[in-house]
Amino acid sequence: MKMKNIGVLNNIQYSFATVFWSIIISDNRVSKKEQKKFNIFLENEFSLNQIEQESMFEKVQESTNETINEHLEILKEALSDYPVEKSRFMRYINECIICDGIEDREYETFEEIKEKLF
């Protein structure tokens, strides 16, 4: 089931996007491949069109570590009853990491996210 069909998850699209952004920026560069993975996630899970994806991408670029931690708390609570969707989200961000070459810092961020969500 797509996340958009689960009310509580659909309502926190920004939290998903913010945490996804933390993976993208963890190596201090943003590749076109990473942005494409971000867009695919938003399209597949929330049916956002290209304009909505671009808008969300611009919005999350203003995120800080403080807000990322807040969004991880929101996701942890919302995903507590949805283990399949939680695992699928982790798969999306893992695919983002490997899409343009693996950096240690990206996997450190991935592990931090995993630790806070599980």
Side-chain angles (χ1 to χ4, degrees):
M1 177 182 306
K2 290 185 177 193
M3 292 183 194
K4 78 172 191 161
N5 296 328
I6 302 171
V8 68
L9 300 182
N10 189 48
N11 292 334
I12 57 171
Q13 292 174 18
Y14 180 63
S15 291
F16 281 106
T18 301
V19 172
F20 204 114
W21 168 253
S22 73
I23 286 290
I24 292 172
I25 198 61
S26 63
D27 62 358
N28 296 314
R29 61 186 172 92
V30 179
S31 74
K32 289 183 190 267
K33 290 178 182 179
E34 288 171 323
Q35 188 166 358
K36 183 176 180 181
K37 291 291 184 181
F38 178 89
N39 292 345
I40 288 170
F41 168 71
L42 293 175
E43 180 180 351
N44 289 349
E45 294 299 329
F46 299 108
S47 300
L48 296 182
N49 63 39
Q50 185 177 355
I51 293 169
E52 292 167 322
Q53 294 163 17
E54 290 170 4
S55 175
M56 185 71 80
F57 194 77
E58 289 175 17
K59 186 176 178 183
V60 296
Q61 290 181 55
E62 300 168 9
S63 301
T64 65
N65 284 338
E66 287 179 14
T67 60
I68 290 165
N69 288 328
E70 291 171 18
H71 289 289
L72 280 167
E73 286 298 318
I74 291 167
L75 292 179
K76 181 177 181 173
E77 184 176 325
L79 289 166
S80 64
D81 294 330
Y82 300 99
V84 171
E85 287 74 13
K86 185 188 309 186
S87 295
R88 198 165 60 236
F89 178 62
M90 296 304 291
R91 188 187 80 231
Y92 276 112
I93 61 176
N94 187 55
E95 289 174 1
C96 182
I97 291 170
I98 62 176
C99 77
D100 68 346
I102 299 169
E103 299 271 336
D104 287 345
R105 181 64 194 135
E106 290 172 315
Y107 266 111
E108 289 172 20
T109 302
F110 179 87
E111 288 299 322
E112 290 169 12
I113 291 168
K114 184 175 82 169
E115 190 175 299
K116 290 178 181 175
L117 290 184
F118 285 89

